[in-house]
Amino acid sequence: MARRVIRAAVLLAVSLLFPALCVAVPASAVTGNGSVVTRIGGVPPRVAGGGGFTAVFTVESTSRYRMLVDSLFLRVSAPDDPSGPPDGVSVTWQDPATGAWRSSDTRSGTGWGLTLDPPLTVEPHGTLTFRARIGLDAALPGGTYAVATNGVSGYRLVDPSGRGAGLLEGRNQPRAVFRYAGPGPSGPATASVSAPAPVSASASAVASATAGPTRAPSPSDPPSATGTPSAAAASADSPAPTALSALAGPEPGGGAGTGGGPGPGSVSGTLLLGLGSIAAGFALGAAALLIRRRQSYP
């Protein structure tokens, strides 16, 4: 008997409370408000120093309600540190409603935003596409950076009558990572030209002992392409020391030197060879003249 009374009381309580719960909980909470899924495109894997790119954001809604978008948001930062770097980045937006490019009107650290007034309407199960031009300063340190967004920053869901329908159940947080080259090498490009080429200790010692003191260059002397004195300037200042021929290798027509230069024997041999060549030339010329005369006067 007691069990029957308890069952009847429970059934009566449920029948009375169920209509009240249906009235108190809106239909949007029962059926769900949906969510948005955002994808990022147009981000290259590598960006040169001082360059930039145009990122494309596609927001797909699964909600059965209209969504009024009041603002857009993105972030450009280090992948493991959303707070840096604070400078060296600029963001301009293409207004989804007009197609015109506009500057960011809100910024907080590494975050950039754009306010849409009037708000942009995304139909139920609709898609929103917007673009942002991201510029990177040449002084920005090189490294890995990420572009992140939550799709839509400020929004409202409204039912067909225009009344508020609550909030979305979820929004993903996509990001696209790229590598930035950073600033180029500092300093003038001609810095390596003005620096003299290194000379070995043995060569400098032999040159200083043989050639004596060198003339200091005047301001009017033009620098050579490699940063060392040209051959014309060296021959005008002083004759090249013969001892350096051993460091540069054997001279054409001679043997492998040991640093002492050519001796008297090689000079006399060269002279005799030259005189013999001249005598042979005269002999051949005289023979040719005699042959021509004999042919002319038989």
Side-chain angles (χ1 to χ4, degrees), residues 6 30 54 74 87 110 142 148 161 182 189 205 248 260 274 284:
I6 294 174
V30 176
T54 300
L74 67 84
D87 300 317
T110 59
S161 64
L284 290 176

Side-chain angles (χ1 to χ4, degrees), residues 54-243:
T54 300
V56 182
F57 303 86
T58 304
V59 182
E60 296 180 354
S61 172
T62 64
S63 177
R64 63 190 183 95
Y65 297 106
R66 286 187 303 154
M67 181 169 57
L68 304 181
V69 181
D70 298 311
S71 60
L72 306 174
F73 174 84
L74 67 84
R75 183 185 303 278
V76 181
S77 65
D80 54 352
D81 184 13
S83 62
D87 300 317
V89 179
S90 62
V91 178
T92 55
W93 306 78
Q94 187 179 34
D95 193 322
T98 64
W101 288 93
R102 297 170 48 189
S103 301
S104 300
D105 51 23
T106 59
R107 181 185 176 186
S108 176
T110 59
W112 305 78
L114 178 69
T115 302
L116 301 177
D117 189 16
L120 188 68
T121 301
V122 179
E123 298 297 330
H125 303 282
T127 301
L128 167 65
T129 300
F130 61 92
R131 292 172 172 80
R133 186 178 296 157
I134 300 174
L136 305 173
D137 192 84
L140 183 68
T144 302
Y145 295 90
V147 179
T149 184
N150 55 4
V152 291
S153 178
Y155 71 94
R156 292 166 289 160
L157 296 179
V158 295
D159 60 14
S161 64
R163 292 180 302 180
L167 300 176
L168 293 167
E169 294 178 353
R171 292 178 292 172
N172 68 327
Q173 302 281 337
R175 70 175 187 173
V177 179
F178 64 94
R179 183 76 180 176
Y180 183 58
S186 59
T190 59
S192 60
V193 176
S194 61
V199 181
S200 62
S202 59
S204 60
V206 173
S208 60
T210 309
T214 58
R215 180 179 63 88
S218 63
S220 60
D221 292 340
S224 61
T226 58
T228 57
S230 60
S235 61
D237 293 339
S238 61
T242 57

